[in-house]
Amino acid sequence: MLRVILISLAVTIANAYIWPSPQLDALEALRFNQDGHNQGGIAVFIEPCDRFVLDTGSNVDSTSGRSNVADWVRTAYHDMATHNVTDGTGGLDASIRFPQESLRTENVGNGFNNTVEALGSVINRYVSLADSLALGTIIAIENCGGPEIAFRGGRIDAGKPNNPGGFTQTEMIGLVACGHTFGGVQQAPFPDIVPILNDPNNTESVTHFDSTSVNFDNLIATEYISGTTQNPLVAGSNDTTNSDKRIFGSDRNVTMKSFSDSPELFASTCADLIARMLDTVPTGVELTEIITPLPVKPSSLILSMDGDTLKLSGEVRFWNMTADPQRTVFMLLDDHLGDTNNVTLIASGVSSAVGGRYTAAWYSFAPVPTAPGPAPVLSLNATTGITNMRFVVDGKVEDQDGLGFAVLDGVVFSETSCYTSLDPPFTWRFDVAVRNGLNVTRVYLEELGVTDSVGRIIVPEVDIVPPVQPVAVNANYSIWSINVTGTDSYSIGFELDGGKFSTNNPHSVFDLSPCTVQGE
Ligand code: HEM
Ligand SMILES: *[C@@H]1O[C@H](CO)[C@@H](O)[C@H](O)[C@H]1NC(C)=O
Ligand SMILES: *[C@@H]1O[C@H](CO)[C@@H](O)[C@H](O)[C@H]1NC(C)=O
Ligand SMILES: *[C@@H]1O[C@H](CO)[C@@H](O)[C@H](O)[C@H]1NC(C)=O
Ligand SMILES: *[C@@H]1O[C@H](CO)[C@@H](O)[C@H](O)[C@H]1NC(C)=O
Ligand SMILES: *[C@@H]1O[C@H](CO)[C@@H](O)[C@H](O)[C@H]1NC(C)=O
Ligand SMILES: *[C@@H]1O[C@H](CO)[C@@H](O)[C@H](O)[C@H]1NC(C)=O
Ligand SMILES: *[C@@H]1O[C@H](CO)[C@@H](O)[C@H](O)[C@H]1NC(C)=O
Ligand SMILES: *[C@@H]1O[C@H](CO)[C@@H](O)[C@H](O)[C@H]1NC(C)=O
Ligand SMILES: *[C@@H]1O[C@H](CO)[C@@H](O)[C@H](O)[C@H]1NC(C)=O
Ligand SMILES: *[C@@H]1O[C@H](CO)[C@@H](O)[C@H](O)[C@H]1NC(C)=O
Ligand SMILES: *[C@@H]1O[C@H](CO)[C@@H](O)[C@H](O)[C@H]1NC(C)=O
């Protein structure tokens, strides 16, 4: 019925998602930790759904008639619309961030820049701006009355603007209706289409597509079919600009009638079309499997070495669980000698996702301090170390179907690290504790928060020269050390048995003690 030309994805082999998997872990967190404890920073921009935040901070204004949800959905569409079906270029790749694209006539208005600024605030080394644009659209629709939408990650941000692209209008009835359930037409960029409203509750004079402009619902269709629509792209006096009228009527209203008759059909059709729109990416970009929430997910793990003590902090999230003071949660830590440490975990918060449809309960590995201070830690014996975690919830073992949750303690931050100057350029000594007897072939520092010339996150690496004479930190670890100047924070990367790993924990010079004259 709906013949929407969107590229069909190559069949992807579904890899089971097993923790740890840094990219999937990061995408899953941004996708499913939306509100409450450890919220990922996207949903706050669209709560409530009529929230409009120009330039991300100041200027919170719900009387403008505009909304972030509408800006975000429109931005994802326009970014994707450069896809060229013939040569496979363009697609959802964040090329809209380039002025060459955002200043084109089809991209009039500041909604694109506004979206890039808000959704650009949550990107990291594993989540591109294009992935964030996709997530923004999904979270907007899910939080404002719409269906749950399948999300894949792995989009790559373009390095340059795309050529203008082409999707034909008549094949897009469904998609246009799905998008135009939000928002409307602004007066300033479109003075020939919509009038000045002189409405204190709609200061930017946005004539909305339907009477519920920040709710995902099928009123875009019911009002159209009943002939009561105020949609300025249908009911405008000049038919040249009545693009929705042309598109919606192009199959003699068959599709719009079906949407008008069934909110469920509208929602399920949109869930499919929006996912396919967001998954339209340039040839060569390989998307992940559909990301579903991990039932049990360790989070924010930090290991560090303090003399004979291996310190561990972190939390674990249990999906589809509400708070319950009667529940018991234990963490079983397997060590290098085959023994097990049994730790009682402490409830630390509750989060929710998909417009409140799901709840998750979080537990901390150590008591969370009531006052600000150092992160709570478990102190483990460095000799015995840690290899694996398992959890026991009300007597039920959670161990990823017998695999356990693997923890690498081979290369960890050493608290012997120290500074010689806290004034720029910072000068400090970064010490890394490396477990003896492992095949660690390379240890390096990762510089965080660095972008290339077109704003994409990159992670420069600074090699640590292996020590000529191993310096023992305790019976089972030796120190690899490097003097650094300038940068104030690094995480640690290493190569072990041919695999490349990152601790992905920033360690800041401001958390260190001064170096003693002896240097140790
Ligand atoms: C050829 C098809 C389309 C045409 C001609 C079209 C046209 C327009 C126009 C003229 C506006 C007003 C923009 C403004 O005031 O800044 C608009 C807004 C919007 N469009 Fe479309 N559109 C099309 C397809 C889509 C699709 C496929 C989606 C998403 C799935 C979408 C989502 C939106 C949204 C959410 C807004 C509201 C923006 C806001 O209120 O800030 N549009 N569209
Ligand atoms: C969007 O931002 C770019 C710079 O990043 C700027 O050149 C352009 O004028 C902005 N567009 C609008 C409509 O504000
Ligand atoms: C799409 O790509 C083909 C092949 O490179 C090119 O001939 C065509 O002009 C492109 N279409 C658009 C709309 O740019
Ligand atoms: C603006 O909104 C407020 C709150 O919803 C309402 O009380 C007021 O009547 C509205 N003003 C106009 C002019 O519609
Ligand atoms: C209708 O809109 C088109 C495109 O904006 C414009 O060229 C034309 O002059 C308009 N016609 C009238 C009668 O305003
Ligand atoms: C589609 O529906 C609209 C609104 O009821 C009506 O004005 C229009 O004539 C219909 N178009 C066709 C082709 O039936
Ligand atoms: C969520 O948990 C409830 C009760 O614990 C259970 O009945 C339900 O099937 C679970 N839902 C999912 C999607 O796992
Ligand atoms: C862990 O300790 C709790 C009590 O602190 C005990 O009830 C539980 O059986 C222990 N679990 C294992 C696997 O040792
Ligand atoms: C750590 O464990 C080892 C091996 O079981 C033991 O010999 C050592 O005494 C322990 N160290 C401390 C500080 O408890
Ligand atoms: C710790 O190091 C000692 C030698 O210093 C070694 O005998 C022992 O096997 C190591 N223990 C573990 C658990 O790796
Ligand atoms: C770091 O600097 C100190 C003081 O200049 C020096 O003694 C030490 O050898 C340096 N360490 C490395 C790994 O270069
Ligand atoms: C250590 O790992 C590297 C990279 O996989 C490999 O080439 C080398 O043979 C390994 N060395 C040992 C002693 O296993």
Side-chain angles (χ1 to χ4, degrees):
M1 182 182 55
L2 289 172
R3 286 175 47 249
V4 176
I5 296 191
L6 295 168
I7 60 160
S8 52
L9 289 162
V11 177
T12 44
I13 298 134
N15 302 306
Y17 165 21
I18 291 163
W19 186 95
S21 172
Q23 186 191 21
L24 291 175
D25 292 343
L27 289 164
E28 197 261 15
L30 206 52
R31 167 84 181 89
F32 289 111
N33 302 337
Q34 291 177 18
D35 284 289
H37 195 65
N38 289 338
Q39 60 87 12
I42 290 183
V44 291
F45 285 109
I46 55 166
E47 289 169 356
C49 289
D50 66 356
R51 189 155 185 222
F52 181 62
V53 189
L54 200 54
D55 301 321
T56 68
S58 54
N59 202 359
V60 177
D61 182 2
S62 59
T63 62
S64 64
R66 293 179 63 185
S67 61
N68 285 332
V69 289
D71 271 0
W72 292 4
V73 172
R74 181 165 178 253
T75 300
Y77 167 57
H78 282 234
D79 190 60
M80 179 283 299
T82 58
H83 181 68
N84 181 328
V85 280
T86 309
D87 66 6
T89 59
L92 193 57
D93 61 4
S95 58
I96 196 108
R97 75 188 189 284
F98 292 106
Q100 292 95 319
E101 256 187 73
S102 68
L103 294 175
R104 277 183 205 145
T105 49
E106 72 265 28
N107 295 331
V108 65
N110 61 9
F112 303 103
N113 276 14
N114 194 34
T115 301
V116 164
E117 205 166 320
L119 293 173
S121 69
V122 300
I123 66 172
N124 59 50
R125 64 196 292 188
Y126 301 116
V127 181
S128 65
L129 179 59
D131 278 342
S132 182
L133 294 178
L135 272 173
T137 296
I138 288 173
I139 292 174
I141 291 173
E142 288 177 348
N143 275 262
C144 300
E148 185 170 348
I149 297 172
F151 170 67
R152 300 170 192 268
R155 290 167 196 76
I156 297 171
D157 292 345
K160 55 179 178 50
N162 291 327
N163 295 324
F167 275 86
T168 63
Q169 293 187 355
T170 52
E171 289 156 327
M172 296 198 41
I173 302 164
L175 201 52
V176 174
C178 298
H180 290 181
T181 185
F182 288 131
V185 180
Q186 295 171 57
Q187 198 277 332
F190 296 98
D192 296 336
I193 303 183
V194 293
I196 294 172
L197 297 176
N198 290 314
D199 178 350
N201 286 343
N202 190 339
T203 55
E204 297 210 21
S205 293
V206 182
T207 301
H208 296 132
F209 295 126
D210 68 19
S211 50
T212 54
S213 69
V214 297
N215 287 87
F216 181 96
D217 57 28
N218 71 338
L219 290 198
I220 182 76
T222 53
E223 293 176 358
Y224 168 75
I225 291 296
S226 70
T228 58
T229 186
Q230 303 293 305
N231 180 341
L233 303 182
V234 172
S237 58
N238 183 341
D239 258 341
T240 307
T241 53
N242 278 337
S243 54
D244 281 8
K245 182 177 176 183
R246 276 194 298 279
I247 294 169
F248 293 168
S250 63
D251 68 350
R252 314 192 131 267
N253 293 339
V254 170
T255 302
M256 291 304 278
K257 181 74 169 51
S258 70
F259 289 165
S260 171
D261 289 344
S262 170
E264 295 77 22
L265 177 73
F266 180 67
S268 62
T269 304
C270 291
D272 180 42
L273 291 176
I274 294 283
R276 287 164 64 192
M277 174 182 101
L278 299 176
D279 290 350
T280 300
V281 294
T283 302
V285 173
E286 221 176 290
L287 296 180
T288 67
E289 64 199 277
I290 292 171
I291 296 177
T292 53
L294 274 192
V296 177
K297 187 184 186 190
S299 174
S300 323
L301 249 64
I302 304 178
L303 282 168
S304 67
M305 191 61 65
D306 179 14
D308 289 333
T309 302
L310 181 62
K311 292 181 178 171
L312 169 67
S313 65
E315 285 184 89
V316 58
R317 186 199 71 194
F318 298 103
W319 193 250
N320 189 29
M321 237 182 228
T322 50
D324 179 357
Q326 304 306 316
R327 183 184 299 127
T328 60
V329 180
F330 301 106
M331 176 169 67
L332 305 178
L333 298 176
D334 300 328
D335 70 22
H336 290 273
L337 294 180
D339 294 329
T340 296
N341 206 338
N342 181 346
V343 181
T344 303
L345 301 192
I346 296 118
S348 54
V350 172
S351 64
S352 68
V354 193
R357 271 164 273 194
Y358 302 106
T359 304
W362 295 72
Y363 285 78
S364 172
F365 295 178
V368 179
T370 45
V377 294
L378 284 178
S379 293
L380 307 173
N381 180 323
T383 294
T384 51
I386 175 173
T387 58
N388 223 0
M389 301 182 290
R390 291 168 288 142
F391 301 91
V392 183
V393 183
D394 283 340
K396 182 173 185 286
V397 177
E398 296 287 0
D399 62 359
Q400 289 197 118
D401 295 325
L403 286 173
F405 296 87
V407 180
L408 282 179
D409 68 357
V411 178
V412 301
F413 177 73
S414 171
E415 296 189 3
T416 53
S417 300
C418 60
Y419 70 83
T420 48
S421 173
L422 283 185
D423 296 320
F426 315 106
T427 53
W428 46 311
R429 193 184 77 224
F430 199 113
D431 291 345
V432 180
V434 179
R435 196 168 178 92
N436 301 332
L438 297 181
N439 186 15
V440 174
T441 46
R442 185 172 167 238
V443 177
Y444 51 93
L445 301 183
E446 298 177 323
E447 202 172 341
L448 303 179
V450 183
T451 54
D452 69 8
S453 62
V454 290
R456 295 177 295 198
I457 289 178
I458 51 172
V459 185
E461 297 173 357
V462 182
D463 272 85
I464 304 183
V465 179
V468 184
Q469 284 292 321
V471 179
V473 58
N474 56 42
N476 296 79
Y477 283 83
S478 305
I479 293 286
W480 292 36
S481 191
I482 184 171
N483 290 326
V484 291
T485 305
T487 305
D488 64 7
S489 168
Y490 291 100
S491 71
I492 303 167
F494 57 98
E495 292 179 16
L496 169 65
D497 290 330
K500 199 169 174 182
F501 302 91
S502 169
T503 63
N504 204 27
N505 303 136
H507 296 285
S508 164
V509 68
F510 299 108
D511 296 334
L512 305 182
S513 306
C515 299
T516 60
V517 183
Q518 282 292 4
E520 179 93 18

